[in-house]
Amino acid sequence: MNKWVEYCMTKRGTSLTNPFGPEVDVMKVSTKMYALFSTDGAPTVSLKCEPFRADSLREQYPEIKPGYHLNKKHWNTVSLDGNLTDEELEAMIDHSYDLVVLSMTKNERSNIGT
């Protein structure tokens, strides 16, 4: 398990699933995806992102692209090639997780304990 999957697993209500096959580790909070890790080929993670922030990150970092096979307005695919700092990746994962939790109903949030 890579360190970023392990980091996601520390977040309340997170589960690791493989609905698209063994090539993609999908992190969910409750039933909603917030991170998709490619386990086949070059390591990447796709993360949910507020649209304005997504555009800004893509302009700042060449390793951040519009979401691969996802809604490009709301998802970024990030290369895990070592060019981004741990702090930058943690902030992007945290933002993705928080966006998904905020989109949940109060009842859904209470079921994960946040």
Side-chain angles (χ1 to χ4, degrees), residues 3 6 21 23 28 31 45 48 52 57 59 61 67-68 73 75 84 90 95 101 110:
K3 75 177 185 177
E6 289 178 13
E23 304 83 31
K28 291 182 177 181
T31 62
V45 60
K48 194 163 180 100
F52 180 79
L57 289 169
E59 289 174 11
Y61 301 100
Y68 181 69
K73 182 177 179 182
W75 288 83
L84 296 171
E90 285 176 9
H95 177 66
V101 170
S110 69

Side-chain angles (χ1 to χ4, degrees), residues 72-90:
K72 292 169 181 10
K73 182 177 179 182
H74 295 280
W75 288 83
N76 281 335
T77 296
V78 181
S79 173
L80 298 175
D81 58 8
N83 288 330
L84 296 171
T85 68
D86 285 0
E87 292 78 17
E88 289 167 327
L89 284 164
E90 285 176 9

Side-chain angles (χ1 to χ4, degrees), residues 12 30 98 100-114:
R12 187 177 302 272
S30 186
D98 291 344
V100 170
V101 170
L102 287 171
S103 74
M104 294 176 167
T105 66
K106 185 176 180 180
N107 188 46
E108 288 172 318
R109 282 194 301 272
S110 69
N111 287 337
I112 62 167
T114 58

Side-chain angles (χ1 to χ4, degrees), residues 3-70:
K3 75 177 185 177
W4 297 112
V5 170
E6 289 178 13
Y7 179 74
C8 290
M9 292 301 294
T10 67
K11 300 200 160 293
R12 187 177 302 272
T14 292
S15 61
L16 168 62
T17 65
N18 299 94
F20 308 117
E23 304 83 31
V24 183
D25 286 341
V26 177
M27 310 309 295
K28 291 182 177 181
V29 57
S30 186
T31 62
K32 299 176 188 254
M33 298 186 306
Y34 71 92
L36 294 87
F37 291 91
S38 169
T39 60
D40 189 30
T44 63
V45 60
S46 294
L47 298 164
K48 194 163 180 100
C49 193
E50 184 278 320
F52 180 79
R53 185 173 178 174
D55 288 339
S56 176
L57 289 169
R58 292 174 200 158
E59 289 174 11
Q60 287 180 302
Y61 301 100
E63 44 282 297
I64 301 176
K65 307 278 187 224
Y68 181 69
H69 287 305
L70 296 161

